[in-house]
Amino acid sequence: MSGLTGVIAGLALAAQQAPPPPDPAAWWSPKVQRPSSEVEPLYGRRLGKAERPIPIDHGVEPLLYRLWGLQPLQSQVLRKGELILEVWARPAGDVRQAVTRLTLRDDGRAFVQARAGLGCCAPEIARRVDINAELDRASAETLRSVAADPVWSQPRSVIVDYGGGAVSALCVDGVSWDVTLLIPGQARQLRRACDDAEVGSIARILTTALGPTIGRDPRFDAIFPRGADFSRQAGAYAALIQSGGRLIPGQTSPPPAATLPPPPSPAAPEAAPRP
């Protein structure tokens, strides 16, 4: 009996010495650890009083970005000399999707954030694959030249006219693409169906985006059997132009906006890099 009494006394003492339950309010005010630049290249930026968000109408809502583990493109704040190139790939007849975002900062550093996953059948993005990495200097310089590419003067959406009339593309095989370029104060969007000539018109941009991304995770690579090789599509576009064909604006395509400014200049050598 004395043993049982001792056990009960010990439990009572332990209960008295147990730490108090955590304050529920602390759940909503945790310390936020600063993410690395690979995860969030533009972390902590806010619009100034005289600044306004850049209008972006590419069909991706801010909350959808959160599901993919990305900051919404609509909330990204760019400084002079910076840009973001974002590419969404949607294979026809498949629930797999992929998004690749390249960010060039004013200190000369560039980063890739890429995601792949299943875009249906679950409340979240199922089987999500995340890639967050810094790009090498050569890839950063290639990215810097993207803003000067004449592709941004093309209509947002197009129809292929092979010379005998225009025919809207119907994607039953292949990949359709949504491409967005963001620079300070401006955004450009291009949408291309899976027709080879359509895709070939933006082949350089797709290679720039996927080139430094492919090879970092085989699960991501599996969505792109040809990797960053768009030579077939580029050839189809060249053949279209040589044969007298053309790309004409789609029915819902707005007129091209004003010409983009020159590409950003390299950062000054004395610019202090940020973590």
Side-chain angles (χ1 to χ4, degrees):
M1 191 67 177
S2 60
L4 180 59
T5 302
V7 171
I8 295 175
L11 291 175
L13 180 61
Q16 293 175 1
Q17 295 177 346
D23 181 3
W27 175 262
W28 303 108
S29 57
K31 292 183 179 179
V32 178
Q33 184 176 2
R34 180 187 178 94
S36 66
S37 290
E38 289 79 5
V39 175
E40 285 197 36
L42 306 180
Y43 174 75
R45 295 193 181 182
R46 298 290 185 270
L47 289 172
K49 291 183 178 180
E51 294 179 308
R52 295 292 181 269
I54 301 172
I56 299 175
D57 179 20
H58 62 335
V60 183
E61 296 296 330
L63 284 178
L64 181 57
Y65 277 112
R66 303 289 187 187
L67 288 176
W68 286 95
L70 292 169
Q71 289 288 356
L73 190 62
Q74 295 88 335
S75 66
Q76 296 297 276
V77 178
L78 296 179
R79 301 184 180 122
K80 182 179 179 181
E82 297 182 329
L83 65 82
I84 293 175
L85 175 65
E86 185 174 283
V87 174
W88 286 83
R90 298 180 174 91
D94 200 329
V95 297
R96 294 178 300 171
Q97 295 185 22
V99 54
T100 301
R101 178 186 292 180
L102 304 185
T103 302
L104 177 67
R105 290 197 321 205
D106 61 352
D107 59 3
R109 297 174 68 186
F111 304 87
V112 57
Q113 297 166 280
R115 305 287 186 266
L118 303 181
C120 93
C121 313
E124 71 280 358
I125 303 300
R127 301 185 187 179
R128 201 181 85 190
V129 177
D130 291 13
I131 296 174
N132 301 294
E134 183 168 1
L135 301 181
D136 58 34
R137 185 174 297 275
S139 297
E141 289 305 313
T142 301
L143 178 60
R144 189 184 304 281
S145 66
V146 161
D149 197 297
V151 70
W152 304 111
S153 63
Q154 293 183 10
R156 176 173 177 175
S157 61
V158 297
I159 299 175
V160 180
D161 182 353
Y162 287 99
V167 179
S168 297
L170 177 63
C171 279
V172 294
D173 189 20
V175 180
S176 60
W177 304 87
D178 285 281
V179 180
T180 301
L181 173 68
L182 194 65
I183 62 173
Q186 297 187 57
R188 295 288 186 275
Q189 293 101 30
L190 299 174
R191 175 168 295 174
R192 297 293 178 264
C194 52
D195 179 275
D196 276 358
E198 281 196 38
V199 176
S201 70
I202 61 169
R204 291 188 303 273
I205 302 301
L206 298 180
T207 298
T208 298
L210 290 180
T213 310
I214 296 294
R216 297 182 183 272
D217 191 311
R219 297 169 299 173
F220 183 91
D221 300 350
I223 297 181
F224 306 99
R226 296 178 61 88
D229 179 11
F230 294 91
S231 56
R232 186 193 74 214
Q233 293 89 337
Y237 177 63
L240 172 72
I241 301 303
Q242 291 173 2
S243 65
R246 57 178 181 155
L247 299 178
I248 63 175
Q251 295 180 353
T252 60
S253 183
T259 304
L260 285 166
S265 302
E270 63 271 13
R274 290 185 295 274

